[in-house]
Amino acid sequence: GDSVTQMEGPVTLSEEAFLTINCTYTATGYPSLFWYVQYPGEGLQLLLKATKADDKGSNKGFEATYRKETTSFHLEKGSVQVSDSAVYFCALSDLGANSKLTFGKGITLSVRP
Amino acid sequence: NAGVTQTPKFRILKIGQSMTLQCAQDMNHNYMYWYRQDPGMGLKLIYYSVGAGITDKGEVPNGYNVSRSTTEDFPLRLELAAPSQTSVYFCASSFGQGGEETQYFGPGTRLLVL
């Protein structure tokens, strides 16, 4: 079945540091890939997505590239801010699976001033 | 647009009690989902619906029931609450199928079963 593996957390960074959060996936089909973010006390919201190989999703300074050859979708940001402190979930949705999302475990990012 | 709304925000149940978690969306989305989120884990799909009158099981449906009588509402029913159902529950909706559709999430209901 489909699965998503995220790097272990939590991650603590200083403001303006570079961020990479690793995500790899296993899917039987040709999935779309997503990063969702959950700010404290809130529901999840879409951060970015990519629907085919070599697509780059981007939003709020975050980027992730769909790498089919390495089955990866790593999230990066060049300079994190305190307001980026949240839980980040990598997810996939397989075509034909009724848009059901398969989530990774999530990783908590804390950014220090 | 209110988006996806959930009530209540927080509830404590005793073992064996029942309750209904409410979910509503005002985006005219066909697809709706219920997830549970346990500490340190990703979200697990409980049930989903592809339209009014149509529901199907997800990954962890045991102990839950759903109904979808209207496009807007998708309540989740716990019949006999157990401590294992202590979790945060999220409702979500999306416009359609296709694998690339964005899901929109509600703020969650925190449930504690004692």
Side-chain angles (χ1 to χ4, degrees):
Chain A
D2 297 342
S3 67
V4 175
T5 302
Q6 290 184 235
M7 60 184 277
E8 294 290 325
V11 172
T12 301
L13 296 173
S14 296
E15 207 165 22
E16 299 184 2
F18 183 83
L19 169 71
T20 299
I21 301 177
N22 290 342
C23 171
T24 57
Y25 68 90
T26 302
T28 52
Y30 197 12
S32 295
L33 302 174
F34 303 80
W35 277 101
Y36 280 83
V37 58
Q38 184 180 29
Y39 297 105
E42 299 183 10
L44 281 72
Q45 55 185 273
L46 179 70
L47 180 59
L48 53 85
K49 68 179 182 183
T51 58
K52 60 183 186 294
D54 300 325
D55 265 3
K56 179 186 283 187
S58 62
N59 186 25
K60 299 182 181 179
F62 291 90
E63 292 183 341
T65 301
Y66 190 138
R67 300 287 187 202
K68 190 168 185 287
E69 64 276 12
T70 55
T71 61
S72 65
F73 193 53
H74 305 322
L75 182 68
E76 295 182 338
K77 186 174 185 182
S79 175
V80 294
Q81 306 299 313
V82 171
S83 57
D84 294 327
S85 298
V87 182
Y88 292 81
F89 293 93
C90 185
L92 70 82
S93 178
D94 214 343
L95 186 65
N98 288 320
S99 297
K100 290 181 288 183
L101 285 170
T102 299
F103 285 89
K105 290 186 177 181
I107 186 168
T108 300
L109 170 66
S110 298
V111 180
R112 300 183 299 236
Chain B
N1 276 353
V4 180
T5 57
Q6 292 183 239
T7 56
K9 283 188 169 50
F10 176 67
R11 182 77 182 267
I12 299 175
L13 280 184
K14 294 182 180 178
I15 294 172
Q17 287 185 320
S18 62
M19 76 166 293
T20 299
L21 283 65
Q22 301 291 345
C23 173
Q25 53 89 11
D26 62 359
M27 297 174 281
N28 202 32
H29 284 170
N30 292 319
Y31 285 65
M32 296 188 74
Y33 311 84
W34 274 106
Y35 295 91
R36 59 177 288 171
Q37 182 184 30
D38 299 318
M41 304 297 291
L43 279 69
K44 301 288 186 185
L45 183 65
I46 305 171
Y47 270 95
Y48 69 99
S49 168
V50 302
I54 307 170
T55 63
D56 206 350
K57 296 177 181 178
E59 189 179 354
V60 289
N62 291 344
Y64 307 94
N65 277 301
V66 294
S67 59
R68 183 98 181 270
S69 56
T70 67
T71 300
E72 294 79 17
D73 300 299
F74 190 41
L76 178 71
R77 178 84 177 161
L78 283 71
E79 291 294 350
L80 292 169
S84 60
Q85 293 177 305
T86 293
S87 190
V88 181
Y89 292 84
F90 288 101
C91 180
S93 71
S94 65
F95 181 69
Q97 193 180 354
E100 58 189 69
E101 293 288 338
T102 298
Q103 290 191 17
Y104 296 83
F105 285 79
T109 294
R110 187 175 297 274
L111 177 65
L112 180 60
V113 181
L114 298 174

